[in-house]
Amino acid sequence: MTDTAYPEVPVLVVGGGSVGLLTAALLAHHGVPAVLVERRSGPSVHPRATGIGPRTVEILRELGLDTAVDAAAVDLRGAAGKAVARTVVEMGAGDVVTVPMPTPSAVELDTTPFRLRGVCAQDRLDAVVAADLARRGADPRWSTRLVGIAQDADGVDVELEGPDGPYSLRCARVVAADGTHSTVRTALGVDTSGAGDLGKSMINILFRADIRPHLRGMSFATCTITTPEAPGLLATVDGETDWVFHVACDVDGGERPEDFTRERCVAVVRSAVGDPGLDVEVRSVLPWRPRSSLADRFAVGRVFLVGDAAHTVSPLGAFGLNTGVADAHNLAWKLAAVHHGEAGPGLLDTYAREREPIAAATLDQAMRRLADPELHWGRGPEADAARAAAGVWAAPVVHLGQRYDSAAVVDARPELPSTVDLAVALDGSPGSRVPHAWVDGVSTLDLVASRWTLLVGDAGDRWLVAAAGAGLPARQVRAPWVSDDGALLVRPDAIVAMRVTTPVRDPARFLAGVLDRVLARPVGVPSA
């Protein structure tokens, strides 16, 4: 490190992919002016994921970005979610097997009422979030890479190389969102465990071509192409002319990623579509390989790992990106609370305590699906029985139903009452995401609005007075998960921090003690 005089940066985010961008957005949303550095010159134009899960939609809504992201999504209502065909031409002629996009049931809408109309490619998501960062006061610095990092008890020194040359920053804390091969994680000496590389090396071809005449009105999220000339997976980006095609790279047979020249990629796409004269513009070519790995630690001192820097999830299930967004959501409010002096530094210890088990469970669920994709896609009693036998949870439970157990939750109940029924899993227990319920036409998820919130029963007037004294917003709720004279204290990330089901002698004192405890302030032990 140099002897440069360092400016103070509250939080530096390293990495400008989806998780890094959303980390910076969430920090700014909570009043922390984050700096983000990314080695690329701007957000990636090459989507690596398209599935935005229900919990991520809730987080986007919290940021006020759900409408913009929905507008950027491909409208797949009533379309096929997954298709299988020899070529696109033959699919358009009717030679196709499809799995319809699942329509949310009334029960599902009772657990999470906010949905996108279809898939949203990662580049489109990133464009929405990146465009919003300036409005929020975040400081994105493109074409800038981290080349050195060291920390002490009081801060983190980083060395950066930007468009104008090298410079240094002194940061209170650093969030590493710099991907599977994280420079920060390596510098910290954090190892990874897990299965590692899985299956074949792949080539991801981003291309532009108008294949709509061959589809004859059909639409889909993904289509497995089975022609021997170019077997692979075709996925929509915009539903019209932008697509990605994943094809295997036979490394064992002597192929190399660099063998996939633009000319070869055009030929591969034409074979997959089944149209030898198709006008194809190859926009980008990326090699990749499915991987499953977990960092041994998600936090080292003042540095925190999120997204692929912390865990790389095999793609089936669309758990990878969404798990990373959940990392950012968990961490951002805690960093903000410590930055604003509302919490003690011990609150930050709960990030790794809460997210490491969730990531491990999610990796396990993705791996269980890998051997048989029908464990994820299958519908009906036979599929349910196969999932139960394989220990596979319902996808909504993986996305929304998992629970936290840490010092930031009072009397946590980490065990899941159901791995099949999300409504059963979201029962108001401490550590779970607060259940959705309509209160005067507003969801309880919207009532939380990124702040500590008290939800009380019909006979909760004393709780309302206590909340007012503590400066907390509070609302009465009629729901089976809150008793008439009980209360739920909900964290800014919509996680239930405390639930009381019996009368409390002094609600104001009790509530103050709970807040001191979960925020790692000098603890006043609550007494009932």
Side-chain angles (χ1 to χ4, degrees):
M1 296 294 154
T2 69
D3 294 328
T4 306
Y6 299 101
E8 287 292 331
V9 173
V11 180
L12 175 72
V13 180
V14 182
S18 300
V19 174
L21 289 168
L22 281 165
T23 301
L26 285 161
L27 286 165
H29 176 68
H30 285 288
V32 179
V35 172
L36 178 145
V37 295
E38 165 56 47
R39 58 182 176 80
R40 297 183 305 241
S41 60
S44 175
V45 299
H46 200 132
R48 292 171 172 81
T50 59
I52 296 180
R55 184 63 178 134
T56 299
V57 176
E58 293 176 0
I59 294 167
L60 291 169
R61 183 177 177 85
E62 185 180 331
L63 288 169
L65 296 178
D66 56 318
T67 299
V69 172
D70 189 57
V74 179
D75 191 348
L76 290 175
R77 291 170 294 190
K82 179 173 72 104
V84 180
R86 181 179 172 87
T87 66
V88 173
V89 167
E90 291 168 271
M91 177 172 59
D95 181 15
V96 61
V97 176
T98 63
V99 176
M101 287 292 289
T103 301
S105 66
V107 172
E108 288 178 300
L109 291 175
D110 280 343
T111 57
T112 178
F114 314 121
R115 300 282 174 144
L116 297 184
R117 58 183 179 163
V119 297
C120 182
Q122 197 170 354
D123 62 317
R124 295 185 149 214
L125 169 66
D126 292 357
V128 170
V129 180
D132 194 59
L133 285 183
R135 180 183 69 83
R136 296 183 182 278
D139 181 6
R141 303 181 185 182
W142 306 103
S143 301
T144 300
R145 67 187 185 97
L146 182 142
V147 295
I149 183 170
Q151 62 178 314
D152 54 41
D154 301 315
V156 186
D157 298 329
V158 297
E159 298 287 350
L160 303 167
E161 285 188 0
D164 298 324
Y167 66 102
S168 304
L169 290 177
R170 174 76 169 174
C171 313
R173 289 173 177 86
V174 171
V175 179
D178 53 342
T180 300
H181 305 292
S182 169
T183 299
V184 175
R185 188 187 65 229
T186 300
L188 294 175
V190 176
D191 292 329
T192 62
S193 59
D197 290 336
L198 305 167
K200 297 179 179 179
S201 295
M202 305 293 293
I203 302 296
N204 182 338
I205 305 169
L206 173 67
F207 69 95
R208 182 167 289 154
D210 189 358
I211 66 174
R212 287 172 293 180
H214 298 310
L215 290 173
R216 303 182 186 182
M218 290 188 62
S219 57
F220 56 84
T222 65
C223 180
T224 300
I225 300 295
T226 61
T227 178
E229 295 180 3
L233 183 71
L234 180 66
T236 185
V237 174
D238 70 351
E240 296 183 352
T241 59
D242 288 351
W243 311 85
V244 289
F245 188 59
H246 299 270
V247 62
C249 177
D250 186 7
V251 175
D252 293 337
E255 274 191 330
R256 301 169 302 166
E258 51 266 34
D259 294 334
F260 284 81
T261 62
R262 302 223 166 205
E263 292 75 18
R264 181 179 177 184
C265 289
V266 168
V268 166
V269 169
R270 287 172 172 168
S271 295
V273 174
D275 180 353
L278 183 68
D279 184 13
V280 179
E281 176 194 349
V282 174
R283 300 180 59 204
S284 178
V285 180
L286 289 179
W288 70 284
R289 190 169 185 177
R291 183 173 176 80
S292 180
S293 64
L294 185 70
D296 292 348
R297 291 187 288 170
F298 281 22
V300 179
R302 291 173 169 267
V303 183
F304 305 86
L305 308 182
V306 299
D308 286 352
H311 44 73
T312 306
V313 186
S314 57
L316 184 58
F319 299 140
L321 168 64
N322 295 291
T323 303
V325 174
D327 294 338
H329 192 237
N330 180 286
L331 179 61
W333 76 267
K334 296 174 180 177
L335 287 169
V338 173
H339 173 72
H340 295 307
E342 298 163 356
L347 176 65
L348 297 177
D349 296 338
T350 68
Y351 167 68
R353 170 69 178 167
E354 292 183 347
R355 292 305 301 167
E356 286 176 3
I358 300 296
T362 303
L363 260 69
D364 175 69
Q365 285 300 307
M367 288 294 292
R368 289 174 186 267
R369 286 162 163 77
L370 196 62
D372 181 7
E374 287 306 308
L375 291 171
H376 182 73
W377 289 101
R379 300 290 183 268
E382 290 186 5
D384 291 340
R387 277 190 284 270
V392 170
W393 303 353
V397 174
V398 180
H399 281 290
L400 275 165
Q402 299 192 62
R403 299 178 171 191
Y404 294 149
D405 181 6
S406 77
V409 178
V410 177
D411 297 329
R413 295 186 177 181
E415 65 284 350
L416 286 175
S418 175
T419 60
V420 176
D421 189 336
L422 179 60
V424 173
L426 296 177
D427 62 359
S429 292
S432 66
R433 196 269 267 150
V434 65
H436 154 70
W438 296 113
V439 181
D440 298 329
V442 179
S443 170
T444 47
L445 296 167
D446 288 338
L447 288 178
V448 173
S450 309
R451 58 196 176 171
W452 286 94
T453 304
L454 195 68
L455 303 177
V456 306
D458 277 346
D461 291 346
R462 294 171 65 238
W463 283 112
L464 294 177
V465 172
L472 293 180
R475 291 293 291 269
Q476 289 180 306
V477 178
R478 284 188 177 181
W481 37 267
V482 56
S483 60
D484 284 348
D485 52 5
L488 271 74
L489 179 63
V490 186
R491 303 186 334 190
D493 58 352
I495 298 299
V496 178
M498 172 214 75
R499 177 164 64 175
V500 175
T501 58
T502 56
V504 169
R505 184 171 62 248
D506 187 344
R509 181 184 176 196
F510 185 91
L511 189 58
V514 168
L515 286 168
D516 283 345
R517 174 176 170 180
V518 299
L519 288 170
R521 300 190 299 219
V523 176
V525 179
S527 58

